[in-house]
Amino acid sequence: MKTIVLPIIATLAALSLALVAKAENPAHVKQLLETGACAGCDLVGANLQAAHLIGADLRNANLEGANLTHANLEGADLTGANLKNANMTSSFATNAVFNDANMSGVNLANAHMINAETFGANLTNINIAGSDIYGSGISVGGER
């Protein structure tokens, strides 16, 4: 009896976790792409690959796990946004604002971030391999 009950419990637990998992709000993705304004929007896991988000208002938006590969975020305002584990590989974020944003685990490999503001941003475990990052609060360390 125990050998039957344990697999059933494990299966039910996995199903309940899958039902709780969040995904982006399609109306919010449409709003962002059509208007460039989506402050506070739910964009969790959104596919925004190669999107033109120049000057977009994404203040306090939830972009956790979003795909922003090759996206153009020039001048975008992501103040207070949640970008945890987002993929920003080869993105262009010159003059973008990431103040107080959660950027932990963001993949910025081969990204271009010139004069981006990152005051108060959580920058733990970011990947900046091959990136062009100048004039921002992101640094690779080194000797003092």
Side-chain angles (χ1 to χ4, degrees):
M1 180 81 170
K2 287 183 183 178
T3 58
I4 294 172
V5 173
L6 290 177
I8 291 172
I9 291 172
T11 302
L12 290 174
L15 287 173
S16 67
L17 287 175
L19 293 174
V20 175
K22 284 193 71 174
E24 83 278 2
N25 180 327
H28 289 177
V29 174
K30 183 179 179 186
Q31 175 185 336
L32 172 62
L33 295 176
E34 290 179 356
T35 69
C38 210
C41 283
D42 175 8
L43 300 166
V44 173
N47 183 3
L48 298 168
Q49 183 174 359
H52 292 277
L53 303 173
I54 299 167
D57 180 359
L58 289 163
R59 291 170 295 147
N60 299 307
N62 190 353
L63 290 144
E64 183 171 348
N67 180 2
L68 292 157
T69 303
H70 294 285
N72 188 340
L73 293 159
E74 181 178 6
D77 188 351
L78 291 110
T79 300
N82 179 15
L83 290 152
K84 183 177 181 182
N85 298 319
N87 185 357
M88 293 180 64
T89 301
S90 300
S91 63
F92 187 80
T94 294
N95 298 314
V97 180
F98 297 96
N99 295 336
D100 299 315
N102 180 4
M103 297 180 73
S104 65
V106 170
N107 186 357
L108 288 165
N110 301 309
H112 303 280
M113 291 182 75
I114 314 303
N115 298 323
E117 294 181 24
T118 57
F119 303 107
N122 178 350
L123 301 169
T124 57
N125 299 314
I126 61 172
N127 176 9
I128 58 172
S131 295
D132 295 320
I133 300 176
Y134 304 100
S136 75
I138 298 174
S139 66
V140 295
E143 293 188 29
R144 294 178 189 231

